[in-house]
Structures are given as structure tokens and as C-alpha cells.
């Protein structure tokens, strides 16, 4: 305790439905502490829902989510607030605060959870901005004044500021060009590997999924169909994983096209 390094995450039998849409049926997965894990799966398979359940933005219907000794699914509001101070998260839609300047968005955790002064927080935010390729001249702009790709980078910088023990990134490189994609993925790796940080990333970039993270987990049909070390992926002998990670048009995952009448 107190070292700031993260414990393992153990998900067991998680279920989450929206009326008659059973999104997560029984999700069980171990996410090892201090390592990076990428979650892949077709669109609408529930990747974002799973991340939102994990950080307490959505409530699961049943199942268990353990963060070390902490049972996340039954926490009080105070416990959630404490837990959320330990994690950094990027949402798929960035979810920046429209009324705050770029630097204030990035420095939000520092000011509101760590009691850092505004001037120090601004300095640290500007350093973070540089690391994702955003110049200081953007610090005082508002999110609406930035392109989608720039907003995404602000979201990554905001999630990583203060070096949280658990970093959860929903599609951190969506909409970025290949050079920026590599820059951002390298930054995440450099700032987290060997530092005890647990990283959980969702991506649709299968090249990144095959090469960038320690572990891979594949979500489909409400379950984790495969999980394991990246090095074991090529030999995995799992048709779902094989189709997804190699972006094959044919296999057990059928595209849900509109009814053909
Ligand atoms: N707040 C919500 N209310 C109702 N349905 C939702 C909600 N959020 C997500 N869903 C549904 O859950 C399914 C999984 O969505 P999502 O987790 O966003 O998929 P993805 O794997 O692409 O991230 C989709 O069918 C989506 O329509
Ligand atoms: Mg999503």
C-alpha cells in the first residue's frame, strides 16, 4: 500500500444489458498489474461499455470486478471518488470540458485531486501538451477551437497527467494519421512500461494490437473469447481472435448487415 503501484484486476462473470440488448453476458478476464493489455473486438461488441463499467460510469447487472482487495461493483460514492483519483481515463468521444481551456482540461486531476497550484499545474500541462505534439500557443484555447485529432491528443495528455497507477484509454489513436498514431503509442509505452502502471487500451488498429501491448483480450458475443500474452497470439488457434486480429472478412464473426427482407 501507498507505493502507488497498481494491483491486478480480476473480472468475473460480468453481465450488462440494455433492455433486451445483452451486451456483456459473462465477461471474465485477468488484467495483470504493471502490464499493458489491449482489448479488441468488433464494433458494438461492448468494449466501451466494459470500460465504463470498470470505472464506475455504468453499473453492471451482475458479476465481480476486483481491483486487488477492492470489490469495485459494490463501492460507495466516496470509495468511487477515491478510486477515480487513482486512474486516468480517455473516453472514446474525448469528453473534454467545453468551458475549460486546454491546459485546464489537462491539469484537472492535478488541481482537483492532488491539490497542485494553478501555476505549477499549468507548467505541467504545457509539458504534457508538448509530449503529444501540441504547442504552448494552444494552452489557452477551448476544445471547440481544436480539430478532432487535436482533441484526441488533449484527451490522452489529460488521462496521463499525474502518472495514474491505472490508465484506461478508449481508442486513443482513432482519427490520427499513422505518424501521430506511432507517436502516441510510443509515448504511452515510454511513460508506463516498467513503472508499475497498468494500461488497458481499446483499439481498432490491429497492427498496434498485434505489436504494442503485453497482453491481448478479445471480446465478442458478450464474452472474452481469448486472452493471453501477445507472443502467444500467432499460435493461439482461436478462430475469433484470428479473424479479428488479421482483419479477415470471413470467419465466425458475421457482420450484422441490415435485414435482407
Ligand atoms: N447508454 C447506453 N444505452 C443503451 N445501449 C447502449 C448504451 N451504451 C452502449 N449501448 C449499446 O451497447 C452495445 C455496445 O456498445 P459499445 O460498448 O459502445 O461498443 P464498442 O465495442 O464499439 O465500444 C451497442 O449495441 C450499443 O448500442
Ligand atoms: Mg467503443
Amino acid at each position: 500500500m501507498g507505493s502507488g503501484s497498481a494491483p491486478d484486476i480480476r473480472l468475473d462473470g460480468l453481465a450488462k444489458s440494455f433492455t433486451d440488448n445483452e451486451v456483456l453476458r459473462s465477461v471474465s478476464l485477468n488484467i495483470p498489474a504493471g502490464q499493458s493489455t489491449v482489448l479488441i473486438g468488433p464494433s458494438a461488441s461492448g468494449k466501451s461499455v466494459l470500460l465504463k463499467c470498470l470505472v464506475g460510469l455504468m453499473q453492471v447487472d451482475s458479476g465481480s470486478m476486483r481491483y486487488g482487495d477492492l470489490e469495485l461493483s459494490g463501492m460507495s460514492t466516496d470509495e468511487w471518488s477515491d478510486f477515480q483519483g487513482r486512474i486516468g481515463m480517455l473516453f472514446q468521444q474525448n469528453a473534454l470540458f467545453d468551458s475549460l481551456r486546454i491546459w485546464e482540461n489537462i491539469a484537472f486531476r492535478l488541481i482537483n485531486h492532488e491539490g497542485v497550484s494553478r501555476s505549477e499545474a499549468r507548467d505541467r500541462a504545457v509539458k504534457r501538451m508538448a509530449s503529444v505534439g501540441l504547442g504552448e500557443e494552444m494552452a489557452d484555447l477551448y476544445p471547440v477551437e481544436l480539430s478532432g485529432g487535436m482533441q484526441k491528443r488533449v484527451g490522452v495528455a489529460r488521462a496521463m497527467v499525474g502518472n495514474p497507477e491505472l490508465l484506461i484509454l478508449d481508442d486513443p489513436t482513432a482519427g490520427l494519421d499513422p505518424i501521430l498514431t506511432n507517436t502516441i503509442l510510443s509515448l504511452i509505452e515510454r511513460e508506463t512500461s516498467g513503472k508499475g502502471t497498468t494500461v488497458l487500451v481499446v483499439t481498432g488498429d490491429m497492427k498496434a494490437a498485434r505489436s504494442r501491448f503485453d497482453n491481448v483480450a478479445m471480446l465478442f458475443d458478450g464474452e472474452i473469447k481469448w486472452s493471453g500474452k501477445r507472443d502467444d497470439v500467432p499460435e493461439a488457434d482461436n478462430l475469433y481472435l484470428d479473424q479479428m486480429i488479421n482483419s479477415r472478412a470471413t470467419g465466425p464473426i458475421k457482420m450484422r448487415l441490415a435485414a435482407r427482407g
Side-chain angles (χ1 to χ4, degrees):
M1 284 294 283
S3 68
S5 75
D8 290 343
I9 301 171
R10 290 195 309 280
L11 311 180
D12 194 12
L14 287 187
K16 174 72 181 170
S17 296
F18 299 99
T19 55
D20 59 351
N21 183 7
E22 254 191 322
V23 178
L24 307 179
R25 292 189 300 122
S26 183
V27 169
S28 298
L29 176 65
N30 287 344
I31 301 168
Q35 299 182 17
S36 61
T37 297
V38 64
L39 178 66
I40 59 172
S43 55
S45 57
K47 304 179 296 297
S48 295
V49 166
L50 180 56
L51 297 191
K52 286 178 187 166
C53 289
L54 188 57
V55 302
L57 288 170
M58 279 182 180
Q59 228 181 337
V60 294
D61 299 331
S62 57
S64 142
M65 304 186 286
R66 295 200 68 88
Y67 189 63
D69 294 334
L70 210 57
E71 174 54 60
L72 299 179
S73 59
M75 289 202 299
S76 67
T77 315
D78 280 356
E79 287 170 321
W80 268 119
S81 155
D82 176 62
F83 175 66
Q84 285 173 345
R86 297 161 68 180
I87 68 182
M89 166 129 197
L90 167 74
F91 302 95
Q92 192 163 20
Q93 310 302 338
N94 303 327
L96 302 178
F97 302 114
D98 293 336
S99 62
L100 297 184
R101 296 176 191 279
I102 296 306
W103 81 263
E104 292 170 324
N105 262 282
I106 295 170
F108 191 83
R109 263 172 69 85
L110 300 177
I111 295 170
N112 293 286
H113 279 286
E114 296 182 22
V116 174
S117 72
R118 280 181 68 83
S119 66
E120 188 193 332
R122 191 182 192 285
D123 287 348
R124 287 171 64 178
V126 167
K127 284 208 187 79
R128 277 283 154 194
M129 289 175 64
S131 74
V132 294
L134 298 173
E136 182 168 6
E137 70 280 2
M138 298 193 166
D140 293 315
L141 299 181
Y142 290 91
V144 69
E145 299 176 89
L146 267 53
S147 72
M150 286 172 173
Q151 290 181 13
K152 179 67 76 180
R153 286 183 274 159
V154 173
V156 172
R158 181 175 66 174
M160 295 181 73
V161 81
N163 304 315
E165 63 186 43
L166 172 59
L167 187 60
I168 296 179
L169 304 169
D170 198 347
D171 229 343
T173 60
L176 302 185
D177 66 52
I179 297 170
L180 262 174
T181 294
N182 275 328
T183 306
I184 298 288
L185 293 174
S186 298
L187 170 78
I188 295 166
E189 194 173 342
R190 191 170 67 241
E191 301 260 326
T192 60
S193 67
K195 294 186 176 153
T197 312
T198 307
V199 183
L200 178 59
V201 174
V202 164
T203 187
D205 177 347
M206 291 304 117
K207 182 164 165 264
R210 283 196 304 269
S211 61
R212 288 283 193 166
F213 308 96
D214 301 319
N215 309 295
V216 176
M218 158 89 203
L219 179 65
F220 180 64
D221 197 21
E223 299 176 333
I224 299 295
K225 295 293 189 191
W226 189 89
S227 70
K229 294 188 183 311
R230 174 189 66 198
D231 294 345
D232 294 335
V233 165
E235 315 294 330
D237 197 23
N238 178 291
L239 292 174
Y240 298 100
L241 178 71
D242 175 73
Q243 184 183 358
M244 188 73 214
I245 205 130
N246 295 305
S247 312
R248 299 189 205 284
T250 54
I253 306 167
K254 309 286 183 230
M255 286 245 299
R256 288 199 188 86
L257 301 174
R260 272 166 283 182

